[in-house]
CSV table of all heavy atoms in Angstrom, one decimal:
chain,number,residue,atom,x,y,z
Y,233,LYS,N,-76.6,-30.1,3.1
Y,233,LYS,CA,-76.5,-31.5,3.7
Y,233,LYS,C,-75.4,-31.6,4.7
Y,233,LYS,O,-75.4,-32.5,5.6
Y,233,LYS,CB,-76.4,-32.5,2.7
Y,233,LYS,CG,-75.2,-32.4,1.8
Y,233,LYS,CD,-75.2,-33.5,0.7
Y,233,LYS,CE,-73.9,-33.4,-0.1
Y,233,LYS,NZ,-73.9,-34.5,-1.2
Y,234,ASN,N,-74.4,-30.7,4.7
Y,234,ASN,CA,-73.3,-30.8,5.6
Y,234,ASN,C,-73.5,-29.9,6.8
Y,234,ASN,O,-72.7,-29.8,7.7
Y,234,ASN,CB,-72.0,-30.4,5.0
Y,234,ASN,CG,-71.6,-31.3,3.8
Y,234,ASN,OD1,-71.7,-32.5,4.0
Y,234,ASN,ND2,-71.1,-30.8,2.7
Y,235,SER,N,-74.6,-29.2,6.9
Y,235,SER,CA,-74.9,-28.3,7.9
Y,235,SER,C,-75.6,-29.0,9.1
Y,235,SER,O,-76.5,-29.8,8.9
Y,235,SER,CB,-75.8,-27.1,7.4
Y,235,SER,OG,-76.2,-26.3,8.5
Y,236,PRO,N,-75.3,-28.6,10.4
Y,236,PRO,CA,-76.0,-29.1,11.5
Y,236,PRO,C,-77.4,-28.6,11.6
Y,236,PRO,O,-78.2,-29.1,12.4
Y,236,PRO,CB,-75.1,-28.7,12.7
Y,236,PRO,CG,-74.4,-27.5,12.2
Y,236,PRO,CD,-74.1,-27.7,10.7
Y,237,LEU,N,-77.8,-27.6,10.8
Y,237,LEU,CA,-79.1,-27.1,10.8
Y,237,LEU,C,-80.0,-27.7,9.6
Y,237,LEU,O,-81.0,-27.1,9.3
Y,237,LEU,CB,-79.1,-25.5,10.6
Y,237,LEU,CG,-78.2,-24.8,11.6
Y,237,LEU,CD1,-78.2,-23.3,11.3
Y,237,LEU,CD2,-78.7,-25.0,13.0
Y,238,TYR,N,-79.5,-28.8,9.1
Y,238,TYR,CA,-80.1,-29.3,7.9
Y,238,TYR,C,-81.6,-29.8,8.1
Y,238,TYR,O,-82.4,-29.7,7.3
Y,238,TYR,CB,-79.3,-30.5,7.4
Y,238,TYR,CG,-79.6,-31.0,6.0
Y,238,TYR,CD1,-79.7,-30.1,4.9
Y,238,TYR,CD2,-79.8,-32.3,5.7
Y,238,TYR,CE1,-80.0,-30.5,3.6
Y,238,TYR,CE2,-80.0,-32.8,4.4
Y,238,TYR,CZ,-80.1,-31.9,3.4
Y,238,TYR,OH,-80.4,-32.3,2.1
Y,239,ASP,N,-81.8,-30.2,9.4
Y,239,ASP,CA,-83.2,-30.7,9.7
Y,239,ASP,C,-84.0,-29.7,10.6
Y,239,ASP,O,-84.9,-30.1,11.3
Y,239,ASP,CB,-83.1,-32.0,10.4
Y,239,ASP,CG,-82.5,-33.1,9.4
Y,239,ASP,OD1,-83.0,-33.2,8.3
Y,239,ASP,OD2,-81.6,-33.9,9.9
Y,240,ILE,N,-83.6,-28.5,10.6
Y,240,ILE,CA,-84.2,-27.4,11.4
Y,240,ILE,C,-85.4,-26.9,10.6
Y,240,ILE,O,-85.2,-26.5,9.4
Y,240,ILE,CB,-83.3,-26.3,11.8
Y,240,ILE,CG1,-82.3,-26.9,12.8
Y,240,ILE,CG2,-84.0,-25.2,12.5
Y,240,ILE,CD1,-82.8,-27.3,14.2
Y,241,SER,N,-86.6,-26.8,11.2
Y,241,SER,CA,-87.8,-26.2,10.6
Y,241,SER,C,-88.3,-25.1,11.5
Y,241,SER,O,-87.9,-25.0,12.7
Y,241,SER,CB,-88.8,-27.3,10.3
Y,241,SER,OG,-89.3,-27.8,11.5
Y,242,PRO,N,-89.3,-24.3,11.1
Y,242,PRO,CA,-89.9,-23.4,12.0
Y,242,PRO,C,-90.5,-24.0,13.3
Y,242,PRO,O,-90.5,-23.3,14.3
Y,242,PRO,CB,-91.0,-22.7,11.2
Y,242,PRO,CG,-90.6,-22.9,9.8
Y,242,PRO,CD,-89.9,-24.2,9.7
Y,243,MET,N,-90.9,-25.2,13.2
Y,243,MET,CA,-91.4,-25.9,14.4
Y,243,MET,C,-90.4,-26.1,15.5
Y,243,MET,O,-90.7,-26.3,16.7
Y,243,MET,CB,-92.1,-27.2,14.0
Y,243,MET,CG,-93.1,-27.1,12.9
Y,243,MET,SD,-94.5,-26.1,13.5
Y,243,MET,CE,-95.2,-27.1,14.8
Y,244,ASN,N,-89.1,-26.1,15.1
Y,244,ASN,CA,-88.0,-26.3,16.1
Y,244,ASN,C,-87.6,-25.0,16.8
Y,244,ASN,O,-86.8,-25.1,17.8
Y,244,ASN,CB,-86.8,-26.9,15.4
Y,244,ASN,CG,-87.2,-28.3,14.8
Y,244,ASN,OD1,-87.1,-28.4,13.5
Y,244,ASN,ND2,-87.6,-29.2,15.6
Y,245,LEU,N,-88.0,-23.9,16.3
Y,245,LEU,CA,-87.5,-22.6,16.8
Y,245,LEU,C,-88.3,-22.1,18.0
Y,245,LEU,O,-89.1,-21.1,17.9
Y,245,LEU,CB,-87.4,-21.6,15.7
Y,245,LEU,CG,-86.6,-21.9,14.5
Y,245,LEU,CD1,-86.6,-20.8,13.5
Y,245,LEU,CD2,-85.2,-22.3,15.0
Y,246,HIS,N,-88.2,-22.8,19.1
Y,246,HIS,CA,-88.9,-22.4,20.4
Y,246,HIS,C,-87.9,-22.6,21.5
Y,246,HIS,O,-86.9,-23.2,21.4
Y,246,HIS,CB,-90.2,-23.2,20.6
Y,246,HIS,CG,-90.0,-24.7,20.5
Y,246,HIS,ND1,-89.5,-25.4,21.5
Y,246,HIS,CD2,-90.2,-25.6,19.5
Y,246,HIS,CE1,-89.4,-26.7,21.2
Y,246,HIS,NE2,-89.8,-26.8,19.9
Y,247,HIS,N,-88.3,-22.0,22.7
Y,247,HIS,CA,-87.3,-22.0,23.8
Y,247,HIS,C,-87.1,-23.4,24.4
Y,247,HIS,O,-86.2,-23.5,25.2
Y,247,HIS,CB,-87.8,-21.0,24.9
Y,247,HIS,CG,-89.1,-21.4,25.5
Y,247,HIS,ND1,-90.3,-21.2,25.0
Y,247,HIS,CD2,-89.3,-22.1,26.7
Y,247,HIS,CE1,-91.3,-21.7,25.8
Y,247,HIS,NE2,-90.7,-22.2,26.8
Y,248,HIS,N,-87.9,-24.4,24.1
Y,248,HIS,CA,-87.7,-25.7,24.6
Y,248,HIS,C,-86.7,-26.5,23.7
Y,248,HIS,O,-86.2,-27.5,24.2
Y,248,HIS,CB,-89.0,-26.5,24.6
Y,248,HIS,CG,-90.0,-26.0,25.6
Y,248,HIS,ND1,-89.8,-25.9,26.9
Y,248,HIS,CD2,-91.2,-25.4,25.3
Y,248,HIS,CE1,-90.9,-25.4,27.5
Y,248,HIS,NE2,-91.8,-25.1,26.6
Y,249,GLU,N,-86.3,-26.0,22.6
Y,249,GLU,CA,-85.4,-26.6,21.7
Y,249,GLU,C,-83.9,-26.5,22.3
Y,249,GLU,O,-83.5,-25.4,22.6
Y,249,GLU,CB,-85.4,-26.1,20.3
Y,249,GLU,CG,-84.5,-26.7,19.3
Y,249,GLU,CD,-85.0,-28.1,18.9
Y,249,GLU,OE1,-86.1,-28.5,19.2
Y,249,GLU,OE2,-84.1,-28.9,18.3
Y,250,ASP,N,-83.2,-27.6,22.3
Y,250,ASP,CA,-81.9,-27.7,22.8
Y,250,ASP,C,-80.9,-27.3,21.7
Y,250,ASP,O,-80.3,-28.1,21.1
Y,250,ASP,CB,-81.5,-29.0,23.4
Y,250,ASP,CG,-80.2,-29.1,24.1
Y,250,ASP,OD1,-79.6,-28.0,24.3
Y,250,ASP,OD2,-79.6,-30.2,24.3
Y,251,LEU,N,-80.8,-26.0,21.5
Y,251,LEU,CA,-80.0,-25.5,20.4
Y,251,LEU,C,-79.5,-24.1,20.7
Y,251,LEU,O,-80.2,-23.2,21.2
Y,251,LEU,CB,-80.8,-25.4,19.1
Y,251,LEU,CG,-80.2,-24.7,17.9
Y,251,LEU,CD1,-79.0,-25.6,17.3
Y,251,LEU,CD2,-81.2,-24.5,16.8
Y,252,GLU,N,-78.2,-23.9,20.4
Y,252,GLU,CA,-77.6,-22.5,20.6
Y,252,GLU,C,-76.5,-22.4,19.6
Y,252,GLU,O,-75.7,-23.3,19.4
Y,252,GLU,CB,-77.0,-22.4,22.0
Y,252,GLU,CG,-76.4,-21.0,22.3
Y,252,GLU,CD,-76.0,-20.8,23.7
Y,252,GLU,OE1,-75.9,-21.8,24.5
Y,252,GLU,OE2,-75.6,-19.6,24.1
Y,253,ILE,N,-76.5,-21.2,18.9
Y,253,ILE,CA,-75.5,-20.9,17.9
Y,253,ILE,C,-74.6,-19.8,18.5
Y,253,ILE,O,-75.1,-18.7,18.8
Y,253,ILE,CB,-76.1,-20.5,16.6
Y,253,ILE,CG1,-77.0,-21.7,16.0
Y,253,ILE,CG2,-75.1,-20.1,15.6
Y,253,ILE,CD1,-77.7,-21.3,14.7
Y,254,ILE,N,-73.3,-20.1,18.6
Y,254,ILE,CA,-72.4,-19.1,19.2
Y,254,ILE,C,-71.6,-18.5,18.0
Y,254,ILE,O,-71.1,-19.2,17.1
Y,254,ILE,CB,-71.4,-19.8,20.1
Y,254,ILE,CG1,-72.2,-20.4,21.3
Y,254,ILE,CG2,-70.3,-18.9,20.7
Y,254,ILE,CD1,-71.4,-21.3,22.2
Y,255,VAL,N,-71.4,-17.2,18.1
Y,255,VAL,CA,-70.7,-16.4,17.1
Y,255,VAL,C,-69.5,-15.7,17.8
Y,255,VAL,O,-69.7,-15.0,18.8
Y,255,VAL,CB,-71.6,-15.3,16.4
Y,255,VAL,CG1,-70.8,-14.6,15.3
Y,255,VAL,CG2,-72.9,-16.0,15.9
Y,256,ILE,N,-68.3,-15.9,17.2
Y,256,ILE,CA,-67.1,-15.3,17.8
Y,256,ILE,C,-66.4,-14.4,16.7
Y,256,ILE,O,-66.1,-14.9,15.6
Y,256,ILE,CB,-66.1,-16.4,18.3
Y,256,ILE,CG1,-66.8,-17.3,19.3
Y,256,ILE,CG2,-64.9,-15.8,18.9
Y,256,ILE,CD1,-66.0,-18.5,19.7
Y,257,LEU,N,-66.2,-13.2,17.1
Y,257,LEU,CA,-65.5,-12.2,16.2
Y,257,LEU,C,-64.2,-11.9,16.8
Y,257,LEU,O,-64.1,-11.4,18.0
Y,257,LEU,CB,-66.3,-11.0,15.9
Y,257,LEU,CG,-65.7,-9.9,15.1
Y,257,LEU,CD1,-65.3,-10.3,13.7
Y,257,LEU,CD2,-66.6,-8.7,15.1
Y,258,GLU,N,-63.1,-12.1,16.1
Y,258,GLU,CA,-61.7,-11.8,16.6
Y,258,GLU,C,-61.0,-10.8,15.7
Y,258,GLU,O,-61.3,-10.9,14.5
Y,258,GLU,CB,-60.9,-13.1,16.8
Y,258,GLU,CG,-61.0,-13.7,18.1
Y,258,GLU,CD,-60.0,-14.9,18.3
Y,258,GLU,OE1,-59.4,-15.2,17.3
Y,258,GLU,OE2,-59.9,-15.4,19.4
Y,259,GLY,N,-60.2,-10.0,16.2
Y,259,GLY,CA,-59.4,-9.1,15.4
Y,259,GLY,C,-58.4,-8.4,16.2
Y,259,GLY,O,-58.3,-8.5,17.4
Y,260,VAL,N,-57.5,-7.6,15.5
Y,260,VAL,CA,-56.5,-6.8,16.2
Y,260,VAL,C,-56.9,-5.3,16.2
Y,260,VAL,O,-57.3,-4.8,15.1
Y,260,VAL,CB,-55.1,-7.0,15.4
Y,260,VAL,CG1,-54.1,-6.1,16.1
Y,260,VAL,CG2,-54.7,-8.4,15.5
Y,261,VAL,N,-56.9,-4.7,17.3
Y,261,VAL,CA,-57.2,-3.3,17.4
Y,261,VAL,C,-56.2,-2.4,16.7
Y,261,VAL,O,-55.0,-2.6,17.0
Y,261,VAL,CB,-57.4,-2.8,18.9
Y,261,VAL,CG1,-57.8,-1.4,19.0
Y,261,VAL,CG2,-58.4,-3.7,19.6
Y,262,GLU,N,-56.6,-1.6,15.8
Y,262,GLU,CA,-55.7,-0.9,15.0
Y,262,GLU,C,-54.8,0.1,15.8
Y,262,GLU,O,-53.6,0.2,15.5
Y,262,GLU,CB,-56.5,-0.1,13.9
Y,262,GLU,CG,-55.6,0.7,12.9
Y,262,GLU,CD,-56.4,1.5,11.9
Y,262,GLU,OE1,-57.6,1.9,12.3
Y,262,GLU,OE2,-55.9,1.7,10.8
Y,263,THR,N,-55.3,0.7,16.8
Y,263,THR,CA,-54.6,1.7,17.5
Y,263,THR,C,-53.6,1.2,18.5
Y,263,THR,O,-52.6,1.8,18.8
Y,263,THR,CB,-55.6,2.7,18.2
Y,263,THR,OG1,-56.5,1.9,19.0
Y,263,THR,CG2,-56.4,3.5,17.2
Y,264,THR,N,-53.9,0.0,19.1
Y,264,THR,CA,-53.1,-0.6,20.2
Y,264,THR,C,-52.4,-1.8,19.8
Y,264,THR,O,-51.4,-2.2,20.4
Y,264,THR,CB,-53.9,-0.8,21.4
Y,264,THR,OG1,-54.9,-1.8,21.1
Y,264,THR,CG2,-54.6,0.4,21.9
Y,265,GLY,N,-52.8,-2.5,18.7
Y,265,GLY,CA,-52.2,-3.8,18.3
Y,265,GLY,C,-52.6,-5.0,19.2
Y,265,GLY,O,-52.0,-6.0,19.1
Y,266,ILE,N,-53.6,-4.8,20.1
Y,266,ILE,CA,-54.0,-5.8,21.0
Y,266,ILE,C,-55.1,-6.6,20.4
Y,266,ILE,O,-56.0,-6.1,19.7
Y,266,ILE,CB,-54.5,-5.2,22.4
Y,266,ILE,CG1,-53.3,-4.5,23.0
Y,266,ILE,CG2,-55.0,-6.3,23.3
Y,266,ILE,CD1,-53.7,-3.8,24.3
Y,267,THR,N,-55.1,-7.9,20.5
Y,267,THR,CA,-56.1,-8.8,20.0
Y,267,THR,C,-57.4,-8.7,20.9
Y,267,THR,O,-57.3,-8.8,22.1
Y,267,THR,CB,-55.7,-10.3,19.9
Y,267,THR,OG1,-54.5,-10.4,19.1
Y,267,THR,CG2,-56.8,-11.2,19.4
Y,268,THR,N,-58.5,-8.5,20.2
Y,268,THR,CA,-59.8,-8.4,20.9
Y,268,THR,C,-60.8,-9.5,20.4
Y,268,THR,O,-60.6,-9.9,19.3
Y,268,THR,CB,-60.4,-7.0,20.8
Y,268,THR,OG1,-61.6,-6.9,21.6
Y,268,THR,CG2,-60.8,-6.7,19.3
Y,269,GLN,N,-61.7,-9.8,21.2
Y,269,GLN,CA,-62.7,-10.8,20.9
Y,269,GLN,C,-64.1,-10.4,21.4
Y,269,GLN,O,-64.2,-10.1,22.5
Y,269,GLN,CB,-62.3,-12.2,21.4
Y,269,GLN,CG,-63.2,-13.3,21.0
Y,269,GLN,CD,-62.8,-14.7,21.6
Y,269,GLN,OE1,-63.4,-15.0,22.7
Y,269,GLN,NE2,-61.9,-15.4,21.0
Y,270,ALA,N,-65.1,-10.5,20.5
Y,270,ALA,CA,-66.4,-10.2,20.9
Y,270,ALA,C,-67.2,-11.5,20.6
Y,270,ALA,O,-67.0,-12.2,19.6
Y,270,ALA,CB,-67.0,-9.1,20.1
Y,271,ARG,N,-68.2,-11.8,21.5
Y,271,ARG,CA,-68.9,-13.0,21.4
Y,271,ARG,C,-70.4,-12.7,21.6
Y,271,ARG,O,-70.8,-11.8,22.3
Y,271,ARG,CB,-68.5,-14.1,22.4
Y,271,ARG,CG,-67.0,-14.5,22.3
Y,271,ARG,CD,-66.7,-15.5,23.3
Y,271,ARG,NE,-66.8,-14.9,24.7
Y,271,ARG,CZ,-65.8,-14.3,25.3
Y,271,ARG,NH1,-64.7,-14.1,24.7
Y,271,ARG,NH2,-66.0,-13.8,26.5
Y,272,THR,N,-71.2,-13.5,20.9
Y,272,THR,CA,-72.7,-13.5,21.2
Y,272,THR,C,-73.2,-14.9,20.9
Y,272,THR,O,-72.5,-15.8,20.4
Y,272,THR,CB,-73.4,-12.5,20.3
Y,272,THR,OG1,-74.7,-12.3,20.7
Y,272,THR,CG2,-73.4,-12.9,18.8
Y,273,SER,N,-74.5,-15.1,21.2
Y,273,SER,CA,-75.1,-16.4,20.9
Y,273,SER,C,-76.6,-16.2,20.6
Y,273,SER,O,-77.2,-15.2,21.1
Y,273,SER,CB,-74.9,-17.4,22.1
Y,273,SER,OG,-75.6,-17.0,23.2
Y,274,TYR,N,-77.1,-17.2,19.9
Y,274,TYR,CA,-78.5,-17.1,19.5
Y,274,TYR,C,-79.2,-18.5,20.0
Y,274,TYR,O,-78.7,-19.5,19.5
Y,274,TYR,CB,-78.7,-16.9,18.0
Y,274,TYR,CG,-78.1,-15.6,17.5
Y,274,TYR,CD1,-76.9,-15.6,17.0
Y,274,TYR,CD2,-78.9,-14.4,17.7
Y,274,TYR,CE1,-76.3,-14.4,16.5
Y,274,TYR,CE2,-78.3,-13.2,17.2
Y,274,TYR,CZ,-77.1,-13.2,16.6
Y,274,TYR,OH,-76.5,-12.0,16.2
Y,275,LEU,N,-80.2,-18.4,20.9
Y,275,LEU,CA,-80.9,-19.5,21.2
Y,275,LEU,C,-82.0,-19.8,20.1
Y,275,LEU,O,-82.2,-19.0,19.2
Y,275,LEU,CB,-81.6,-19.3,22.6
Y,275,LEU,CG,-80.7,-19.1,23.8
Y,275,LEU,CD1,-81.5,-18.8,25.0
Y,275,LEU,CD2,-79.8,-20.3,23.9
Y,276,ALA,N,-82.7,-20.9,20.2
Y,276,ALA,CA,-83.6,-21.3,19.2
Y,276,ALA,C,-84.7,-20.3,19.0
Y,276,ALA,O,-85.1,-19.9,17.9
Y,276,ALA,CB,-84.2,-22.7,19.5
Y,277,ASP,N,-85.2,-19.7,20.1
Y,277,ASP,CA,-86.3,-18.7,20.0
Y,277,ASP,C,-85.8,-17.3,19.6
Y,277,ASP,O,-86.6,-16.4,19.5
Y,277,ASP,CB,-87.1,-18.7,21.3
Y,277,ASP,CG,-86.2,-18.3,22.5
Y,277,ASP,OD1,-85.0,-18.3,22.3
Y,277,ASP,OD2,-86.7,-18.0,23.6
Y,278,GLU,N,-84.5,-17.2,19.4
Y,278,GLU,CA,-84.0,-15.9,19.0
Y,278,GLU,C,-83.6,-15.9,17.5
Y,278,GLU,O,-83.0,-15.0,17.0
Y,278,GLU,CB,-82.7,-15.5,19.8
Y,278,GLU,CG,-83.0,-15.3,21.2
Y,278,GLU,CD,-81.7,-15.1,22.0
Y,278,GLU,OE1,-80.7,-15.7,21.7
Y,278,GLU,OE2,-81.8,-14.3,23.0
Y,279,ILE,N,-84.0,-17.0,16.8
Y,279,ILE,CA,-83.8,-17.2,15.4
Y,279,ILE,C,-85.2,-17.0,14.7
Y,279,ILE,O,-86.1,-17.7,15.0
Y,279,ILE,CB,-83.2,-18.5,15.0
Y,279,ILE,CG1,-81.9,-18.7,15.8
Y,279,ILE,CG2,-83.0,-18.7,13.5
Y,279,ILE,CD1,-81.3,-20.1,15.6
Y,280,LEU,N,-85.3,-16.0,13.8
Y,280,LEU,CA,-86.6,-15.7,13.2
Y,280,LEU,C,-86.6,-16.4,11.8
Y,280,LEU,O,-85.7,-16.2,11.0
Y,280,LEU,CB,-86.7,-14.2,13.0
Y,280,LEU,CG,-86.5,-13.3,14.3
Y,280,LEU,CD1,-86.7,-11.9,14.0
Y,280,LEU,CD2,-87.5,-13.8,15.3
Y,281,TRP,N,-87.7,-17.1,11.6
Y,281,TRP,CA,-87.8,-17.8,10.3
Y,281,TRP,C,-88.6,-17.0,9.3
Y,281,TRP,O,-89.6,-16.3,9.6
Y,281,TRP,CB,-88.5,-19.1,10.5
Y,281,TRP,CG,-88.6,-20.0,9.3
Y,281,TRP,CD1,-89.4,-19.9,8.2
Y,281,TRP,CD2,-87.7,-21.2,9.1
Y,281,TRP,NE1,-89.1,-20.9,7.3
Y,281,TRP,CE2,-88.0,-21.7,7.8
Y,281,TRP,CE3,-86.7,-21.7,9.8
Y,281,TRP,CZ2,-87.4,-22.8,7.2
Y,281,TRP,CZ3,-86.0,-22.8,9.2
Y,281,TRP,CH2,-86.4,-23.4,8.0
Side-chain angles (χ1 to χ4, degrees):
K233 60 181 179 180
N234 297 319
S235 171
L237 306 178
Y238 195 47
D239 294 313
I240 292 293
S241 70
M243 302 299 295
N244 302 116
L245 301 181
H246 52 79
H247 66 278
H248 295 296
E249 182 71 16
D250 185 16
L251 173 69
E252 183 175 9
I253 298 178
I254 299 175
V255 184
I256 303 171
L257 173 62
E258 272 189 351
V260 178
V261 182
E262 183 180 27
T263 53
T264 63
I266 299 175
T267 301
T268 186
Q269 184 183 95
R271 299 179 298 272
T272 191
S273 69
Y274 299 98
L275 299 176
D277 58 349
E278 295 175 329
I279 302 174
L280 307 178
W281 189 280

